[in-house]
Amino acid sequence: MDNGRGTGGDLRFGVLGCADVAVRRLLPALARTPGVRLARTASRTPDKAGKVAAEFGGATAPDYTALLAAADVDAVYVPLPAALHARWIEAALRAGKHVLAEKPLTTSARDTERLHALALERGLVLRENYTFLHHRLHDRVAELIAEGAVGEPRLFRSAFAIPARPPGDIRLRPELGGGALLDTAGYPLRAAVRFLGTGLEVAGAVLDSGGAAVDLGGGALLRAPGGVVAQCSFGLDHAYTSHYHVVGSAGALSVEHVFTPPADRVSRIEITGPAGTRTEEVPADDQWANAVAAFARAVRAGEAGTTAQTRAQARLVGEVAAAAQRDTGPAPAPRTDPTHP
């Protein structure tokens, strides 16, 4: 098996589990991305795997272990509950498969570092699937900041929150790694890392459970080595919110609907400065297909391990949890040893 690094042939994906995000997002993106294809699907419910294969192609595997042993699978996509990621990512890497895992990569910085080391040792690519990072919008924002559109950056504010989840949703189950910190918080935190770098430190944090078994919302105050302050807010029981703002010494820019834009949505950046306010449009972009294509390029280029940004993200999440416990008392914490099969 050439693990997808050769110049010929598609990168062959296996999917561990038929989660909603896999069926609605990843598999359609695979279908519209050249050079990749679905080879096998496994599910704890065989009927689901059969339906996926019928719609998107490929064969089924009787279980996750059998899929990882399949010779016609080069890389696996892991959309399982967060608390199961470390176990199955490790199994995939030991089986010689590249891994694209839904966010968060794991539920702890220690596991993230350990799996990064294993991926490097095996010469395998390991990536965390924050698809918004692959939208052209954020590159344009970075260009505007570099061009001095806001002067010297002083403040970064971002929020991502979604409406209340239905009873039984995995985001509400602590044994599966639920809670806002491991789910919606990742977006504003990762945006802060994207624009301010990997050296961010946590100055303070709060998590609120509202009496639930997991944290339903919160916020973090971060500081960058250069003095820029970042405010990140997140929630699982809120009106839908998805934005970031950069305030500088000479202006500001704002973008709404930054984390989950449809592939046909034109994005707009509002830029305010001494000359007034203007709006710049950024063409629609397919961040899911872009993420799949970027993963395939990393495999073919032999870019083993995960990224410094992913490891910084894992560290920040742990530090936010520790700061929240220090500042406001214990909040429900995700268990990392679930009995979920």
Side-chain angles (χ1 to χ4, degrees):
M1 181 174 68
D2 70 1
N3 279 339
R5 295 184 187 177
T7 55
D10 291 340
L11 180 65
R12 300 166 296 182
F13 271 83
V15 175
L16 294 184
C18 298
D20 182 65
V21 67
V23 176
R24 289 194 307 114
R25 301 298 188 192
L26 189 282
L27 290 172
L30 267 180
R32 58 182 183 263
T33 304
V36 300
R37 64 179 173 87
L38 179 62
R40 287 185 182 269
T41 303
S43 172
R44 293 184 300 116
T45 306
D47 285 351
K48 288 185 179 180
K51 290 178 180 177
V52 165
E55 182 174 357
F56 295 102
T60 62
D63 54 42
Y64 299 163
T65 300
L67 186 147
L68 295 180
D72 60 352
V73 171
D74 305 314
V76 298
Y77 171 62
V78 181
L80 300 170
L84 301 179
H85 284 191
R87 169 187 172 186
W88 288 106
I89 290 171
E90 179 173 358
L93 293 172
R94 294 194 181 282
K97 313 300 185 185
H98 305 283
V99 179
L100 176 64
E102 267 310 312
K103 51 78 188 168
L105 188 72
T106 74
T107 59
S108 75
R110 178 180 296 179
D111 279 340
T112 294
E113 292 288 351
R114 177 176 61 83
L115 294 174
H116 169 64
L118 178 60
L120 286 178
E121 175 189 313
R122 299 297 177 100
L124 297 166
V125 173
L126 174 60
R127 293 292 185 271
E128 180 180 42
N129 196 38
Y130 276 104
T131 59
F132 82 90
L133 296 169
H134 301 279
H135 196 291
R136 68 179 77 190
L137 165 67
H138 313 291
D139 291 338
R140 181 54 187 150
V141 168
E143 289 173 355
L144 286 167
I145 294 171
E147 292 166 2
V150 301
E152 292 293 325
R154 298 282 189 259
L155 172 65
F156 178 85
R157 300 196 315 269
S158 183
F160 185 56
I162 59 177
R165 302 293 86 195
D169 189 281
I170 62 171
R171 297 173 182 86
L172 304 179
R173 297 177 59 181
E175 75 277 13
L176 296 182
L181 179 58
L182 285 175
D183 192 82
T184 51
Y187 292 87
L189 289 174
R190 192 52 167 271
V193 171
R194 168 67 177 83
F195 293 109
L196 303 180
T198 58
L200 288 163
E201 297 179 349
V202 178
V206 61
L207 294 175
D208 180 33
S209 68
V214 298
D215 54 292
L216 295 179
L221 180 67
L222 314 175
R223 57 188 169 217
V228 183
V229 173
Q231 300 171 342
C232 299
S233 304
F234 45 89
L236 288 175
D237 189 20
H238 302 57
Y240 181 84
T241 304
S242 174
H243 63 245
Y244 60 67
H245 309 275
V246 181
V247 179
S249 59
L253 64 80
S254 302
V255 192
E256 297 289 337
H257 210 113
V258 292
F259 299 124
T260 60
D264 60 354
R265 185 181 190 274
V266 174
S267 297
R268 292 174 175 82
I269 307 170
E270 185 176 277
I271 307 153
T272 301
T277 299
R278 65 184 177 91
T279 299
E280 179 175 317
E281 290 193 346
V282 178
D285 204 11
D286 188 343
Q287 63 188 42
W288 276 89
N290 291 347
V292 171
F295 177 77
R297 286 195 301 271
V299 169
R300 294 192 170 101
E303 298 173 0
T306 190
T307 67
Q309 291 76 22
T310 289
R311 301 194 300 280
Q313 172 93 358
R315 173 185 58 81
L316 279 176
V317 169
E319 292 177 358
V320 168
Q325 182 168 349
R326 180 189 68 235
D327 296 343
T328 61
R335 282 175 22 196
T336 57
D337 58 342
T339 56
H340 188 273

